[in-house]
Amino acid sequence: MTATTLRTPLPSNPPSPNAVGDRAVAGERRWLLGLSLLHAALAGVAFLVLGAAFDFPDILRLPAAEVLTKFNENPAAIRAAYYAFSWSSLLLIPLAVLLRRALRAGGRDEGSLAVAAALGLAAGLTQLLGFIRWTIFVPFLADAYADPATTPATRDALAVAYEFANRYLGMTIGEHLGWLFQGIWVVVLGVVLLRRQGALRWLGWVGLVIASTLLVGSLEQFQLGAEETLAILTSLGSTAFPFWLIGVAVVLMRRAGRE
């Protein structure tokens, strides 16, 4: 008879809580970087398409008749671009949450980061409301305006409806409040980053510069003068913001597990 020796496999050591936590942090920061890249890509493509197909952003300050007529020259591309802009704005909401989680390592700056997350959410929602009107409401106005059966009186009413949407949803909510909330959000994030070391501290200073352009540029809609200068500041800040956000995400991802 042959004796068979039963061998019990040695139990594997379960991962330590710290290791599990580090993997979770790394995963969240990968999401932060991925969504930052997607946000930048959507906004960048939308801007380029609208610049080519719709004379964006100068078109936004022209009379309703010119805007609605221009819209009908390439409605599919314009709607698609504004839909991409809408999604880029919506992405600010999860990005605000992920930034809060990524920057509160060690329980630091809880209050400031909670305020920052709320401001990021407000920025995303207000900018979304500004962009989304171009995907359904404005196409309806443009179609009706171009209809040969539309009377002059009805065209005047359509122009008034466009101007209302442009000045309320666009200039007031999407642009003024959108840039204002985003600017304050970046100010709070910049102050938090200034308390960190290395590249994050440097990015904090950069964030404060970007925030200043957004905050000053948000005054354009009051039309108190120097609108062209304020529009340039807003354009500079809104263009720099996605790259700054990607930079913050890259640094935080590289630091995952070391904090």
Side-chain angles (χ1 to χ4, degrees):
M1 181 179 295
T2 303
T4 303
T5 303
L6 298 177
R7 295 182 180 180
T8 304
L10 295 176
S12 59
N13 293 326
S16 67
N18 287 340
V20 174
D22 290 344
R23 284 200 295 270
V25 169
E28 288 181 352
R29 295 184 183 186
R30 281 193 292 270
W31 273 102
L32 175 62
L33 178 58
L35 292 182
S36 298
L37 291 168
L38 181 58
H39 165 76
L42 288 172
V45 170
F47 186 89
L48 292 175
V49 170
L50 288 174
F54 199 43
D55 295 336
F56 180 87
D58 295 337
I59 192 74
L60 301 178
R61 298 298 180 260
L62 295 181
E66 295 183 44
V67 176
L68 296 176
T69 301
K70 183 71 174 178
F71 186 95
N72 279 321
E73 293 179 7
N74 205 346
I78 295 170
R79 291 180 77 175
Y82 270 114
Y83 196 64
F85 255 144
S86 300
W87 273 99
S88 73
S89 299
L90 192 61
L91 284 175
L92 293 179
I93 296 173
L95 284 169
V97 175
L98 288 168
L99 276 171
R100 178 190 179 187
R101 294 180 64 87
L103 289 171
R104 68 179 184 182
R108 292 176 289 175
D109 303 307
E110 281 286 356
S112 297
L113 290 172
V115 171
L119 289 165
L121 186 149
L125 286 177
T126 49
Q127 292 179 32
L128 170 65
L129 290 174
F131 286 129
I132 201 69
R133 77 187 191 277
W134 290 95
T135 64
I136 297 174
F137 182 64
V138 173
F140 162 75
L141 297 178
D143 286 343
Y145 195 88
D147 189 341
T150 301
T151 65
T154 301
R155 284 198 176 91
D156 290 342
L158 293 169
V160 170
Y162 168 81
E163 291 293 350
F164 172 78
N166 186 49
R167 292 185 176 274
Y168 181 64
L169 291 174
M171 295 174 67
T172 304
I173 295 180
E175 295 177 20
H176 175 64
L177 290 181
W179 298 132
L180 182 65
F181 285 136
Q182 186 172 349
I184 302 174
W185 177 33
V186 178
V187 166
V188 178
L189 290 175
V191 171
V192 169
L193 291 175
L194 288 178
R195 299 170 186 162
R196 308 301 165 88
Q197 301 296 322
L200 286 181
R201 181 177 175 81
W202 180 80
L203 286 167
W205 286 114
V206 175
L208 292 179
V209 173
I210 293 173
S212 67
T213 64
L214 295 173
L215 291 173
V216 175
S218 70
L219 301 175
E220 177 196 353
Q221 287 69 40
F222 289 104
Q223 298 183 328
L224 300 175
E227 282 82 9
E228 290 186 6
T229 301
L230 295 176
I232 291 173
L233 287 175
T234 302
S235 179
L236 289 173
S238 60
T239 301
F241 171 79
F243 296 100
W244 175 80
L245 190 60
I246 291 170
V248 173
V250 168
V251 173
L252 287 172
M253 192 177 71
R254 294 182 66 180
R255 290 190 175 191
R258 292 186 289 161
E259 297 180 341

